[in-house]
Amino acid sequence: MKAKMTIDNLSIPYEKITTVGGRLSTEPAGHHFDLSFRVNVKPRLFGKLSGTDIDSPVLQWNERIEWFRYDDSTQQWEFVDEVAKDMYAFKPTSNTFRIWHSYRYLMATDDTNHPPAALKAMKSDDEARKWIAENGFSWNLAIRDVPAMGIAGGSGGGGGDSLVTGDTRRRVIYFDLGFSGHAERVRLVQILETFKGKLTICHLIRGDIQKATVDHPDNLDRWRFQLATCAR
């Protein structure tokens, strides 16, 4: 029987959220955030006789990306369309998922996880996986995402599907993050907006926020005011 991995303590730590760019910058704007969690592996029942595999859950990185354009004739924002993808299933080898895809076991050897000497001596992800499968271990892991949007326009943001490419647009990403077989989820929403090449909204909200709340004109105006009055 394979060793079994479980995940708990799933969170987006507030102190790990940073803002990129700003209203005075021409660089892409957005945020950096960490999906942090605890990895637990119970040792195999029959030690080496059970093999070296670990039954690992599948990372689920669901994003629903909405795009809006500004209609000059009506002076109103209009919804264009949305793109929904499991980004890990779409491209598991992307830089965002590099730690989970290629180094999830080797990261257990980091000093912050207080590994025993035998595990600390492992030099590759495969070696670490074999040791953990036989002996079991628990360690902390984090996946860092850096969702951003170009101020002057672009064509590659939001999973490679920018549905509005000019310098006036709004992009809203609804994140639903977790692992297969685990009920615990983390949700957050990012709102980025530009108007004639100037950043007007750069906001990230942790929690299961409804579309009606995100799209409400009063909230959009409040987030514009917050950015307009900040120092950056």
Side-chain angles (χ1 to χ4, degrees):
M1 180 180 293
K2 293 181 180 179
K4 185 175 180 60
M5 177 188 293
T6 58
I7 305 291
D8 58 26
N9 295 341
L10 205 63
S11 69
I12 304 288
Y14 178 78
E15 65 274 12
K16 295 292 187 179
I17 298 174
T18 57
T19 301
V20 180
R23 65 183 181 86
L24 303 179
S25 173
T26 58
E27 297 298 316
H31 303 85
H32 294 181
F33 68 84
D34 286 0
L35 175 67
S36 299
F37 49 94
R38 184 82 171 165
V39 182
N40 308 287
V41 176
K42 292 184 177 181
R44 299 187 306 268
L45 293 178
F46 302 105
K48 294 181 179 180
L49 297 177
S50 299
T52 59
D53 286 338
I54 295 176
D55 186 5
S56 174
V58 177
L59 174 65
Q60 297 172 330
W61 198 280
N62 299 311
E63 297 183 13
R64 190 178 87 248
I65 308 162
E66 297 185 348
W67 290 93
F68 298 79
R69 62 178 291 273
Y70 187 77
D71 188 320
D72 288 320
S73 62
T74 63
Q75 296 186 337
Q76 298 290 325
W77 286 92
E78 297 180 343
F79 174 72
V80 175
D81 206 347
E82 68 177 45
V83 177
K85 288 182 181 178
D86 180 336
M87 293 300 181
Y88 183 69
F90 174 64
K91 193 175 181 181
T93 57
S94 74
N95 286 335
T96 298
F97 308 123
R98 184 167 172 261
I99 291 294
W100 174 255
H101 184 266
S102 302
Y103 300 105
R104 75 186 76 168
Y105 302 107
L106 188 60
M107 292 302 295
T109 68
D110 189 87
D111 288 338
T112 59
N113 289 310
H114 308 292
L119 176 56
K120 177 67 177 175
M122 301 296 103
K123 301 302 182 184
S124 71
D125 197 63
D126 189 54
E127 289 178 356
R129 174 181 55 80
K130 292 176 181 178
W131 189 95
I132 292 170
E134 182 177 350
N135 299 278
F137 194 62
S138 295
W139 67 102
N140 296 316
L141 206 56
I143 299 170
R144 169 153 289 200
D145 198 8
V146 292
M149 186 177 77
I151 301 301
S155 60
D161 295 294
S162 293
L163 303 184
V164 183
T165 58
D167 64 0
T168 299
R169 55 184 179 163
R170 183 162 75 242
R171 188 188 79 187
V172 180
I173 304 181
Y174 295 85
F175 294 88
D176 176 12
L177 314 178
F179 291 85
S180 63
H182 292 66
E184 190 177 12
R185 309 293 292 186
V186 165
R187 295 179 176 88
L188 64 159
V189 183
Q190 183 196 54
I191 308 100
L192 299 175
E193 181 187 274
T194 60
F195 191 82
K196 296 182 179 179
K198 300 291 184 181
L199 184 67
T200 49
I201 297 178
C202 186
H203 201 66
L204 187 73
I205 312 171
R206 295 182 300 168
D208 190 7
I209 311 301
Q210 299 301 306
K211 176 176 169 59
T213 300
V214 175
D215 291 347
H216 197 287
D218 289 349
N219 291 327
L220 294 170
D221 283 343
R222 176 161 51 87
W223 298 328
R224 292 182 187 116
F225 177 78
Q226 289 173 352
L227 182 64
T229 55
C230 76
R232 298 181 63 177

